[in-house]
Amino acid sequence: HYHSVPASTFLYILQRWRYHIVFLALGLANSGDSAEMGCTSYILSSSNFQHDILQDGNQDGGEVDFAKRGAAIASAHFGGMLVSGLLSGVLADVWGRRSTLLLGLTCNTIVGTLSAMARNATELCLLRFTCGLGLGMVISGVVTLSAEISPPSRRGRFMTLVASCYTLGFLY
């Protein structure tokens, strides 16, 4: 015996799935950025990385301050985030939240790939700063969009779930 589902029920289910998929996408964007950022600490401690990148052409055997160079690379990311965090709200008001978020994700994709091909500490530092610019756009976009599209009665819950994805990405 065939039972038909009313069209309104099907649309309701489709709407709810679409809503959850948007939050899943926001969470993935948030976790992807933190995973990319968290990898920096693992890379900086690698002896191959220290020899190949942080050595930075020092062939004479002199002392290289790996700590200062590593700190410059790690802090460049946060410097980019600071600049972008201050400017991306204005950018989102002008271009739109979605466009700003997509710009940040595109920037991270391109610059993250280029970072893997950096030949020295200076190149990597500049690329990490640029990656931080993209990350600042993503973080502000994710937080703002999750607040805007959540129903007021569930806003705190959904914003917490999206923000928790940042931690999950860092653990990855």
Side-chain angles (χ1 to χ4, degrees):
H1 199 298
Y2 178 73
H3 295 284
S4 65
V5 177
S8 61
T9 304
F10 177 73
L11 289 175
Y12 175 75
I13 292 170
L14 183 64
Q15 186 72 14
R16 286 189 53 93
W17 274 103
R18 183 174 170 207
Y19 184 74
H20 290 291
I21 288 171
V22 168
F23 276 100
L24 177 65
L26 290 174
L28 283 174
N30 208 11
S31 67
D33 283 339
S34 73
E36 184 265 334
M37 199 168 117
C39 289
T40 303
S41 60
Y42 296 114
I43 292 168
L44 289 174
S45 64
S46 165
S47 60
N48 287 339
F49 177 80
Q50 290 173 0
H51 180 267
D52 295 342
I53 302 294
L54 294 183
Q55 193 82 20
D56 207 9
N58 187 12
Q59 303 298 328
D60 62 2
E63 242 353 84
V64 175
D65 193 350
F66 293 125
K68 281 186 182 177
R69 288 186 179 180
I73 291 168
S75 63
H77 208 174
F78 292 109
M81 286 173 60
L82 175 66
V83 170
S84 180
L86 294 171
L87 300 176
S88 63
V90 175
L91 194 63
D93 288 340
V94 173
W95 284 354
R97 312 255 185 267
R98 181 174 175 245
S99 298
T100 305
L101 176 63
L102 291 175
L103 177 65
L105 289 170
T106 303
C107 177
N108 280 352
T109 301
I110 293 168
V111 177
T113 302
L114 290 174
S115 293
M117 296 181 256
R119 295 170 294 191
N120 56 48
T122 305
E123 283 181 12
L124 187 58
C125 194
L126 290 171
L127 289 166
R128 300 316 294 162
F129 178 81
T130 309
C131 197
L133 292 174
L135 183 61
M137 284 187 250
V138 171
I139 289 174
S140 65
V142 164
V143 170
T144 305
L145 279 173
S146 65
E148 286 180 352
I149 65 174
S150 301
S153 62
R154 296 183 181 167
R155 186 166 293 148
R157 180 182 317 155
F158 284 124
M159 288 184 70
T160 301
L161 288 172
V162 169
S164 297
C165 290
Y166 190 86
T167 305
L168 292 175
F170 205 85
L171 292 174
Y172 170 75

